[in-house]
Amino acid sequence: MIPAAFDYAAPKTLDEALRLLRRHRDARLLAGGQSLLSVMKLRAATPKMVVDLGRIRGLAYIKETAGTLLIGAMTTHEQIASSALVWKRARALAEAAEQIGDIQVRNRGTIGGSLAHADPAADYPAAFLALEGVAVVKGPGRQRTIPADGFFTGLFATALKPGEILTEVRIPLKPAIIGSAYRKMKHPASGFAIVGAAAVLRAGSKGQGSQVRLAFTGAAAHAFRAKAVEAALAGQAITEAAVKAAMERATEGVEMLEDLAADAAYRAHLVRVYGARALLAAGAG
């Protein structure tokens, strides 16, 4: 299908992009375009103005500074998947990136665009949550940060406010990440996650065991952390028996999605299976 008519702007600076958003209240941001253009072709979105961020310099990078991994919002999936630094410091994020779509999608799609779009079956949200990332956003006259745990608010909904642009993703590296992994069952046609699980183990304080973080995508209206599982495994050795017992609590308080790919009961089963796989992989280092 062909999108409805729209105006197009390609600002060269972030400030120019912010001015355009203030002037055009119904404008949509174009990062890699792998999500927005699809919904525009289906006319599920009909913005009057599209603001392309692709010509703004300085929004694509991967670096480590003062115990934090910094990733520019316009960094592509392929850049993340091929980054030795990401594999070393936050393996779950690299594993998520390398499983997104196909090579064409990975070379166009961006981490900022994916997180802001908040597709319930996207891969990054689970890793972002489990790694306890922080989104840096810039809006009219100010910059603020949004912790991952409060970023996703509903189906295709985030804590981003009108007129704000996600500029950077920060992954704290302290306490030290001693293991992380991302595992998913992908839809055979789209490649999206029917269920995806990200697990992260961090070094505990002196005399205590590791901290556990476990998050899921594809299973509910938005990505979520399995905090009951985290609490059950806190300070414990990550063994098959301990993980199997803890995973029985993985869907507590969460309503599973149902569609042609999987009903609610099957998704709950997949949460337990892929959550366990991710935890055991993270535990293996």
Side-chain angles (χ1 to χ4, degrees):
M1 293 181 65
I2 299 174
F6 61 90
D7 291 326
Y8 171 86
K12 294 183 179 180
T13 67
L14 196 57
D15 286 341
E16 185 183 350
L18 289 168
R19 286 195 296 271
L20 284 164
L21 292 182
R22 288 197 300 271
R23 195 178 309 143
H24 303 276
R25 297 289 181 172
D26 65 343
R28 293 289 295 270
L29 293 171
L30 177 71
Q34 301 308 290
S35 299
L36 178 60
L37 294 180
S38 295
V39 297
M40 287 175 64
K41 287 179 179 179
L42 293 171
R43 302 208 177 188
T46 55
K48 300 298 183 184
M49 166 67 76
V50 171
V51 179
D52 188 347
L53 303 178
R55 296 186 187 180
I56 300 176
R57 293 184 178 181
L59 290 180
Y61 52 84
I62 300 171
K63 57 188 178 182
E64 182 180 344
T65 303
T68 304
L69 182 63
L70 308 178
I71 303 175
M74 290 294 287
T75 305
T76 66
H77 312 322
E78 186 60 28
Q79 288 170 327
I80 293 171
S82 61
S83 168
L85 180 59
V86 179
W87 278 99
K88 179 180 179 181
R89 295 300 196 192
R91 184 183 183 93
L93 190 66
E95 290 184 338
E98 73 172 357
Q99 296 184 61
I100 296 173
D102 53 29
I103 190 65
Q104 291 92 341
V105 169
R106 289 193 294 274
N107 274 286
R108 293 296 302 173
T110 65
I111 187 170
S114 177
L115 291 176
H117 186 60
D119 191 306
D123 295 289
Y124 282 136
F128 182 53
L129 277 169
L131 288 162
E132 297 175 283
V134 174
V136 180
V137 303
K138 190 168 183 182
R142 68 167 185 161
Q143 177 174 292
R144 68 186 182 108
T145 57
I146 308 172
D149 209 26
F151 187 80
F152 303 104
T153 59
L155 186 67
F156 292 101
T158 72
L160 287 167
K161 296 179 180 178
E164 289 186 328
I165 299 175
L166 196 163
T167 61
E168 183 179 81
V169 174
R170 297 176 180 172
I171 306 296
L173 301 177
K174 297 178 181 179
I177 297 172
I178 57 178
S180 71
Y182 178 73
R183 297 291 184 268
K184 79 169 180 179
M185 180 176 183
K186 68 178 182 179
H187 191 285
S190 69
F192 278 102
I194 296 175
V195 165
V200 177
L201 306 183
R202 291 182 185 266
S205 57
K206 189 174 181 180
Q208 296 185 358
S210 59
Q211 299 176 11
V212 178
R213 297 292 181 265
L214 179 65
F216 293 94
T217 191
H222 60 82
F224 66 95
R225 271 176 52 189
K227 295 187 178 182
V229 175
E230 295 173 358
L233 291 173
Q236 290 197 43
I238 304 302
T239 64
E240 287 193 27
V243 168
K244 182 178 180 180
M247 288 309 301
E248 292 302 313
R249 303 183 62 188
T251 61
E252 284 186 8
V254 181
E255 183 178 352
M256 296 288 99
L257 288 176
E258 293 198 75
D259 55 28
L260 292 176
D263 64 16
Y266 186 46
R267 267 198 168 83
H269 169 71
L270 292 176
V271 162
R272 293 189 291 271
V273 169
Y274 281 86
R277 290 180 182 179
L279 283 165
L280 292 170

